[in-house]
Amino acid sequence: MHRAREKDTGRHVFRRHIGPPRALHGDLICWKCTAPCIAVGARLHAGQPVQAHYRLEDRGHDASCPLDPDTVAGRVARGSYGLAEVDTGGTVRLTLPRRLDDMLPPGPDRGTGPATEAEEDSVAPDRPLLPPAVATAAEIARFLQLHDHEAEIAARFRVHPHQGRLIPWTDFCYGPLHESYTRLFSRLRTTPHLPHPVAVVGTVQRVSRDSTYSPSADLAVGVPSRAGQFHVTVRSDLADLMEPLAVGTDVLAVGGWEIYARGSTPALRLWVDSPWQLAFWHTAEDGTPTTPRCPARVTPAHAAMERWRNPAPQPRPTPTPRAPAPTAQPPQPPELHRPAPEPHPPEPAHEPEPELHRPDPELHRPAPEHEPEPEPHDSPAEPPAPLDEAAPPRQPVALTPPSPPGPPEPRDPSAPSSARPEPGSTPPRRGIGRWLRRRRRPS
């Protein structure tokens, strides 16, 4: 236990009063009944730190004490419409239905339902009953609040989600300690869509409205984590659902929690659309919580009017990452931008010498021995006549100077000479000499 009473004075003492410089006076008893207890200082147990607390001596709590786990376990099972049961070890197992808002009618194999105060509040049409699953979860959260959410007491409760495996209570209901909020925040970062609904318990720290005048209630502000600070927020478009959540109100919010990271500070957020998603109660000065209730019922017409006045913010489209702009390249020489030449077939090993490098036979032919001299002519020059078709065309002049001819080979006297014309025959007329002779002919 986190608190006790001095038997003689009746003064309430808390765990912070254990140890120096404070001192406890007289015998100690439970702060809800007359069971004697003792103070235990902070220590290490199995390598883990244990906070200072108060422990019962020999006997347990009184039968009517709201802090007795066995008494509370039986009461929770009887009021859950058969959704909770207690095993032989005293552990309570809560089975979640497929829909948390299902209202199961009482039957012969079910309990008596919610508490009498909740039934009295449900007489008014604007104060509906909590669904059995949410009411049972709120009852367990209230009991853990009386024990300051001690891990030893929370280990006596387990949850069986619909078509899921049995999980500890701390994996279904988170808070109000910052370490518990951080676990849920880290879990949603890796798995945004959990296989079962999640409950979060806490006390309202502040109430505000956003730019669209939608109300919100923060159960925790500036919770530290490895990714930075975040808030725990409950929001809704319906003002009637958020109206009971004033500062200092204890809240159990159930639904699909998510991480909202578009603001300046990320938020662990739940968007509330139905009254059964919120169970709230108040804590008296002596630490006793009241019966959990849910907000007023919202009629369809009223809900449509609220949504028309305060439309839900539309999710912003995820920006598509743009490719980086190409960097400016320096201008390349024209040769680099020309297309690559097509491949040519392989050339032969011994390619004949090009015609341009062969010596012109006309230029190196020896002039005839009896070449008549051209006579002067006074008549104007006439255009040259077209060359004979039989004459071979002139070869283009080589771009490179031809190599000098070698020495003449010795001639065989017995071989007939083809270079000199026979007596009485006319030597062949070629080139400019033929043209000059044609001009000398009489017309």
Side-chain angles (χ1 to χ4, degrees):
M1 296 183 299
H2 71 288
R3 63 191 296 185
R5 288 184 302 165
E6 295 179 351
K7 185 177 180 180
D8 297 335
T9 62
R11 183 172 66 98
H12 286 255
V13 290
F14 298 86
R15 60 179 55 177
R16 65 176 181 269
H17 296 122
I18 301 176
R22 301 179 179 87
L24 303 177
H25 304 282
D27 298 333
L28 301 177
I29 59 175
C30 174
W31 65 289
K32 284 294 184 180
C33 64
T34 59
C37 60
I38 58 176
V40 180
R43 69 187 191 281
L44 288 176
H45 178 70
Q48 299 293 332
V50 178
Q51 289 183 331
H53 61 280
Y54 299 94
R55 179 174 55 84
L56 298 180
E57 286 186 351
D58 298 331
R59 66 182 183 90
H61 294 276
D62 296 343
S64 60
C65 181
L67 299 181
D68 184 23
D70 297 332
T71 303
V72 173
R75 186 175 72 248
V76 168
R78 291 190 302 269
S80 63
Y81 285 109
L83 297 179
E85 58 182 6
V86 184
D87 59 10
T88 56
T91 302
V92 180
R93 184 177 65 181
L94 173 62
T95 302
L96 300 181
R98 183 177 181 179
R99 292 173 52 91
L100 295 181
D101 58 340
D102 288 344
M103 299 297 295
L104 303 178
D109 57 342
R110 301 190 179 100
T112 57
T116 305
E117 184 178 351
E119 293 178 350
E120 294 176 356
D121 292 339
S122 65
V123 175
D126 60 342
R127 188 66 60 184
L129 274 172
L130 280 170
V134 181
T136 305
E139 187 70 19
I140 297 174
R142 289 172 61 249
F143 175 70
L144 295 178
Q145 181 181 355
L146 293 174
H147 286 273
D148 197 24
H149 301 276
E150 294 180 356
E152 182 181 358
I153 303 299
R156 303 190 58 170
F157 298 92
R158 291 182 174 272
V159 178
H160 191 188
H162 179 70
Q163 295 182 351
R165 60 181 181 86
L166 192 65
I167 60 176
W169 172 262
T170 53
D171 287 346
F172 166 72
C173 184
Y174 295 85
L177 303 180
H178 283 185
E179 294 80 2
S180 182
Y181 291 144
T182 304
R183 285 197 307 109
L184 179 58
F185 186 78
S186 302
R187 186 179 178 185
L188 289 177
R189 287 188 64 192
T190 57
T191 310
H193 303 285
L194 300 180
H196 57 81
V198 171
V200 171
V201 63
T203 304
V204 178
Q205 303 296 323
R206 66 181 180 185
V207 178
S208 60
R209 293 179 180 270
D210 61 0
S211 58
T212 61
Y213 206 65
S214 298
S216 63
D218 294 334
L219 305 183
V221 179
V223 180
S225 68
R226 293 183 178 181
Q229 294 185 351
F230 65 93
H231 305 328
V232 182
T233 306
V234 177
R235 303 196 59 176
S236 178
D237 287 334
L238 307 175
D240 292 347
L241 296 182
M242 305 296 295
E243 183 179 359
L245 305 186
V247 176
T249 305
D250 299 319
V251 179
L252 175 76
V254 185
W257 286 81
E258 62 179 359
I259 295 179
Y260 181 81
R262 297 177 184 171
S264 57
T265 303
L268 190 62
R269 186 182 70 174
L270 174 66
W271 201 274
V272 179
D273 295 326
S274 303
W276 62 268
Q277 293 183 269
L278 296 176
F280 67 93
W281 61 90
H282 298 85
T283 303
E285 294 182 358
D286 61 349
T288 303
T290 61
T291 304
R293 309 161 70 177
C294 65
R297 181 183 290 109
V298 180
T299 61
H302 192 188
M305 182 61 68
E306 288 288 344
R307 291 190 179 94
W308 177 77
R309 290 178 179 176
N310 304 314
Q314 298 295 332
R316 298 179 181 178
T318 304
T320 304
R322 298 182 178 179
T327 57
Q329 297 291 342
Q332 302 293 339
E335 290 76 5
L336 298 180
H337 297 283
R338 292 181 179 176
E342 298 181 359
H344 295 280
E347 299 180 354
H350 302 283
E351 184 178 0
E353 185 180 1
E355 294 293 338
L356 295 178
H357 297 280
R358 291 183 178 180
D360 192 356
E362 294 293 329
L363 298 177
H364 299 283
R365 182 179 297 277
E369 298 178 359
H370 305 283
E371 183 73 25
E373 295 293 337
E375 297 180 1
H377 196 278
D378 297 337
S379 61
E382 297 179 3
L387 300 177
D388 191 2
E389 296 180 0
R394 287 181 60 86
Q395 298 295 334
V397 180
L399 299 179
T400 58
S403 57
E409 298 180 0
R411 292 174 49 188
D412 189 2
S414 61
S417 177
S418 58
R420 290 186 179 184
E422 298 180 356
S425 63
T426 306
R429 299 177 179 179
R430 301 178 182 276
I432 192 62
R434 184 180 178 185
W435 178 72
L436 293 174
R437 291 187 186 92
R438 292 183 62 182
R439 290 192 58 191
R440 288 168 51 187
R441 291 179 183 176
S443 57

